[in-house]
Amino acid sequence: MHVVIIEDEAFAALRLKKMIQDFNPEIKILAELESVAESVKWFKSNPEPDLIFLDIHLEDDLSFAIFDQVNISSPVIFTTAFDEYAIKAFKLKSIDYLLKPIVHEELAAALKKYEQFSGLHPKSIDLQSLYNLLTTNEKKYRERLSISVGPKIKMVEVKEIAYFFVMDKGVYLRTSTGSTYNIDFTLDKLEELLNPDSFLRINRKYVINITSISQMISYSRGRVKLELHPKADNEFDTIVSIDRSAKFKKWINR
């Protein structure tokens, strides 16, 4: 089986690739693509794969824009962080969908479903209806995140998250009760998923919930130093950067 992965999160793509190869080492990954533009270029100059793993939201557009520019007959398994979109995709007759973070059991079930697949053509997948759903509906933000804790999946309510932070090349969330979990999303992706009324990225390392601020202190060069609850591991990591200071002040006064 030849597979293409279209995913703009490098860590998520790497994790998916490993899980696919763990399921069946004979599956060949032909390409790992990050954007609509890169995908269109690849499909115009390469044979189609047997199966595509397709993230709905890519760095430059919704992935459905790929189908507007090239004819693709390969079956698709959608991958998404948005559960309401995933359910719609499934109902619109994609082979299957995988809700991030993807777990081994669900991936195995989707690949087994593909093995039983008997020629569904993408014309029977109502891509236009799904595209319309994503582009015309009111913007919806995540209310909960699913995270992997060993072999188990745990649901965390977004309102219970105090902040997200980068540490040792990984991204973590910390709840209001002080629990810390590793997550698959980058801070850039989290900015898209979270309600900007409640969450703001204050610098390269932190996205915070406004309810986590326990104290604000004037700092050098017009910046603001924040004390968070629960307390951050390094208090100097929670200084609002110069380029985000104006946005931060508007945010807290909204």
Side-chain angles (χ1 to χ4, degrees):
M1 184 195 308
H2 292 170
V3 167
V4 166
I5 296 172
I6 304 177
E7 165 65 65
D8 65 351
E9 295 286 339
F11 179 78
L14 181 63
R15 186 167 181 266
L16 176 57
K17 178 180 178 180
K18 184 179 185 305
M19 292 170 69
I20 291 171
Q21 293 175 333
D22 286 344
F23 173 81
N24 184 350
E26 295 184 3
I27 295 177
K28 184 176 181 180
I29 309 297
L30 297 180
E32 298 169 55
L33 310 170
E34 298 182 356
S35 66
V36 169
E38 184 181 14
S39 299
V40 169
K41 182 178 179 181
W42 190 90
F43 280 108
K44 283 183 175 180
S45 56
N46 292 277
E48 290 188 25
D50 297 309
L51 179 64
I52 300 171
F53 286 87
L54 182 65
D55 186 14
I56 289 179
H57 286 77
L58 299 176
E59 61 184 24
D60 55 348
D61 203 347
L62 293 175
S63 57
F64 302 104
I66 298 168
F67 298 95
D68 291 335
Q69 301 177 60
V70 289
N71 292 321
I72 299 173
S73 59
S74 302
V76 175
I77 294 177
F78 289 106
T79 63
T80 178
F82 294 84
D83 46 3
E84 68 271 23
Y85 296 162
I87 292 169
K88 289 289 185 180
F90 176 71
K91 290 180 177 179
L92 289 167
K93 300 181 183 179
S94 66
I95 286 183
D96 212 337
Y97 72 90
L98 296 170
L99 183 61
K100 297 177 182 178
I102 297 168
V103 296
H104 285 85
E105 294 81 2
E106 292 175 357
L107 175 64
L111 287 170
K112 287 176 182 177
K113 185 175 180 180
Y114 166 78
E115 290 173 352
Q116 300 169 355
F117 183 68
S118 58
L120 176 67
H121 191 276
K123 285 185 178 178
S124 64
I125 302 174
D126 194 349
L127 294 171
Q128 186 60 48
S129 293
L130 184 52
Y131 179 81
N132 291 341
L133 170 75
L134 301 181
T135 56
T136 61
N137 279 12
E138 182 180 353
K139 175 69 174 178
K140 294 182 180 180
Y141 298 102
R142 294 302 298 272
E143 295 182 359
R144 61 191 64 85
L145 293 175
S146 55
I147 57 175
S148 299
V149 183
K152 298 181 179 180
I153 300 296
K154 179 180 177 64
M155 299 300 296
V156 178
E157 296 292 325
V158 167
K159 64 184 178 182
E160 297 175 357
I161 299 172
Y163 48 84
F164 301 85
F165 62 99
V166 175
M167 181 178 67
D168 298 330
K169 298 183 179 181
V171 179
Y172 298 81
L173 68 80
R174 183 159 294 160
T175 67
S176 56
T177 56
S179 298
T180 302
Y181 303 101
N182 180 227
I183 58 174
D184 286 346
F185 304 119
T186 64
L187 295 189
D188 288 341
K189 180 64 77 173
L190 287 168
E191 287 185 276
E192 298 176 16
L193 302 181
L194 302 172
N195 189 332
D197 289 340
S198 300
F199 288 87
L200 181 73
R201 185 165 181 178
I202 59 169
N203 54 38
R204 292 184 300 107
K205 292 187 174 183
Y206 273 78
V207 171
I208 68 166
N209 189 334
I210 196 167
T211 61
S212 70
I213 300 174
S214 59
Q215 191 164 319
M216 297 180 284
I217 304 165
S218 295
Y219 202 66
S220 63
R221 301 167 67 187
R223 293 176 293 171
V224 179
K225 180 179 176 181
L226 304 179
E227 291 185 2
L228 304 179
H229 179 77
K231 190 173 182 180
D233 295 337
N234 185 339
E235 62 180 6
F236 291 102
D237 286 341
T238 58
I239 297 171
V240 182
S241 62
I242 293 175
D243 60 330
R244 297 176 186 269
S245 292
K247 187 174 183 179
F248 172 79
K249 290 171 183 177
K250 288 182 181 179
W251 181 60
I252 61 173
N253 288 302
R254 189 171 293 171

